[in-house]
Amino acid sequence: MKKLKSLTIGQWIRIALCVIFAAYLIFIILCVNHVIDLGPEGGAAGGLVVASGTPEAVASCDMSYYANQVTVRILKTIVIFASCYLIIEASNIFVFISKYVKGGGPKTTLLLIGNVIKYASAIAIIFLTLSAWGVDTTAIITGAGVITLVIGLGCQSLVADLVAGIFMLFEGDIKVGDVVV
C-alpha cells in the first residue's frame, strides 16, 4: 500500500491509464474524459451518482451541480464579453469625433482616451473571465503590480518623460504631426 501511495500522477497514468481525483474547478473538469457527479448535495443526500459520462453528457443532466455551474459560468462569460464589446464599440466614438476636430492637441487626447478604454476593456475581459471560471486572479494582479513597480523604479527617467509628454499633449504644446528634434 505504501508503494501505491508514493506513485505520482504521471506514474499512475503510465500504469493504469486512469487517474481519479476530486476536482472543484470547472476548467479542470472540462478537460477530462469521464466525469462522475456525486450529489445532489452534501450530507445525507450526498454520495449518490447523479450523472456519469463525458463532461458534455453530464452537463445535460438537470440534477447535476456541475451542469448548473457550467451553465452559469458560460452565461457569465457571455455577459462579460458582450459588456466589454459594447464598451469597446462605444470608445470608437472618440476615434470618430477626432476625425472632425481641428487642431492636433484635442485630436491626440481623444485618440489617447479611446485607446485607454480599449486596453482597459481587454484586460477586464481577461480577468473577469478567469474569475468567472474559478481562477483566483489575486496572484496575477499582485504579480503585475510588483513587475510594474520594478519597471517604474528601473526606468524613472522614461516614466518622467512619459508623464511630461502626457502633460504636453493635454496643454497643447505638441500636436499630431509635429516633429520633435
Side-chain angles (χ1 to χ4, degrees):
M1 192 64 173
K2 283 185 181 180
K3 196 172 187 180
L4 291 176
K5 286 183 180 179
S6 67
L7 293 176
T8 65
I9 291 177
Q11 291 169 328
W12 272 104
I13 291 171
R14 282 192 294 277
I15 293 170
L17 297 174
C18 176
V19 176
I20 299 172
F21 63 96
Y24 301 100
L25 298 174
I26 296 297
F27 65 90
I28 292 176
I29 295 173
L30 290 172
C31 298
V32 299
N33 296 332
H34 192 83
V35 176
I36 301 172
D37 193 0
L38 300 175
E41 293 293 333
L48 303 173
V49 176
V50 175
S52 176
T54 64
E56 294 82 14
V58 175
S60 65
C61 178
D62 291 336
M63 291 201 43
S64 173
Y65 175 77
Y66 160 75
N68 293 333
Q69 287 298 309
V70 170
T71 304
V72 166
R73 290 177 182 187
I74 288 173
L75 288 175
K76 281 183 182 179
T77 304
I78 290 170
V79 168
I80 290 167
F81 273 84
S83 302
C84 288
Y85 175 77
L86 291 175
I87 291 171
I88 289 171
E89 286 300 314
S91 72
N92 285 336
I93 196 163
F94 292 106
V95 176
F96 178 75
I97 292 171
S98 71
K99 292 178 183 176
Y100 300 102
V101 170
K102 301 282 186 199
K107 183 175 189 171
T108 305
T109 305
L110 288 170
L111 291 172
L112 182 66
I113 291 170
N115 285 333
V116 166
I117 291 172
K118 286 179 186 176
Y119 288 121
S121 296
I123 292 169
I125 285 173
I126 293 168
F127 283 107
L128 290 173
T129 303
L130 287 173
S131 180
W133 284 91
V135 176
D136 186 18
T137 57
T138 316
I140 299 170
I141 294 171
T142 305
V146 170
I147 289 171
T148 304
L149 179 67
V150 169
I151 290 172
L153 292 174
C155 304
Q156 288 180 353
S157 61
L158 178 66
V159 172
D161 291 343
L162 180 67
V163 171
I166 290 173
F167 278 109
M168 286 181 195
L169 285 174
F170 284 123
E171 291 173 359
D173 295 338
I174 298 175
K175 298 172 186 68
V176 174
D178 288 352
V179 178
V180 180
V181 183

